[in-house]
Amino acid sequence: MRFTRPRDLAAVAIIAALLAHLLLRLAYDTLPPLPVLAGSTLVVIAVVEVVLAFSLRARIQRRAGARPVQPLTAARAVALAKASSVLGALMFGVWTGVLIFVIPVRDSFPAASNDLVAAVVGMVSAVALTAAALWLEHCCKTPNERSGNEIDTRP
């Protein structure tokens, strides 16, 4: 299994931003205002992943008092990390598309100022999720394979 590449995440984010921007250009005036904390749920997922990453890191490095990691547990953590990094990139792209759309029209639409704040909160949350997911993926490497490109999920 290969590590998540930044260019793959960037491609997802760019495509999502373009699609979100296009959708908003077509239907923004019919949409309700976005909740300011709409993107903040991604931070909750990011916190869970950071806690999991530190726990797995100690177990994979076989620190004193840490029980070994089962291979299936490590594989599930890597799958979660990969899915979360893609979700973070996707949502970063969507929130960026919203931001790019609402900045020029915030004087034309009363809801655009509120949506501007929601977009910034969403972008920050998406970056936090992507960073946490990449950290979790990094923590699933075995100590003797830190320099390679392969993820080894053996305990």
Side-chain angles (χ1 to χ4, degrees), residues 9-64:
L9 297 178
V12 168
I14 290 168
I15 291 169
L18 291 173
L19 290 175
H21 185 74
L22 178 65
L23 185 67
L24 289 173
R25 288 179 69 84
L26 295 174
Y28 186 73
D29 56 341
T30 63
L31 296 174
L34 295 170
V36 173
L37 298 177
S40 65
T41 55
L42 300 176
V43 171
V44 175
I45 300 169
V47 168
V48 169
E49 289 192 13
V50 167
V51 170
L52 178 62
F54 280 110
S55 171
L56 280 175
R57 184 176 187 208
R59 293 172 62 191
I60 288 173
Q61 292 177 347
R62 296 190 172 114
R63 292 188 183 151

Side-chain angles (χ1 to χ4, degrees), residues 11-144:
V12 168
I14 290 168
I15 291 169
L18 291 173
L19 290 175
H21 185 74
L22 178 65
L23 185 67
L24 289 173
R25 288 179 69 84
L26 295 174
Y28 186 73
D29 56 341
T30 63
L31 296 174
L34 295 170
V36 173
L37 298 177
S40 65
T41 55
L42 300 176
V43 171
V44 175
I45 300 169
V47 168
V48 169
E49 289 192 13
V50 167
V51 170
L52 178 62
F54 280 110
S55 171
L56 280 175
R57 184 176 187 208
R59 293 172 62 191
I60 288 173
Q61 292 177 347
R62 296 190 172 114
R63 292 188 183 151
R67 49 191 178 103
V69 177
Q70 296 295 323
L72 189 56
T73 301
R76 286 178 178 162
V78 170
L80 172 66
K82 287 185 150 303
S84 295
S85 63
V86 171
L87 174 65
L90 177 74
M91 292 310 298
F92 179 78
V94 168
W95 288 116
T96 301
V98 171
L99 185 71
I100 290 170
F101 179 79
V102 297
I103 285 176
V105 299
R106 66 179 182 257
D107 295 331
S108 305
F109 295 101
S113 295
N114 179 60
D115 291 348
L116 178 74
V117 175
V120 171
V121 169
M123 287 175 68
V124 170
S125 300
V127 167
L129 177 60
T130 304
L134 292 174
W135 175 246
L136 175 58
E137 188 176 337
H138 173 76
C139 288
C140 289
K141 294 180 193 176
T142 56
N144 59 351

Side-chain angles (χ1 to χ4, degrees), residues 1-3 141-142 144-151:
M1 185 180 301
R2 297 260 179 222
F3 287 105
K141 294 180 193 176
T142 56
N144 59 351
E145 305 229 1
R146 295 276 180 204
S147 61
N149 253 353
E150 298 292 321
I151 297 174

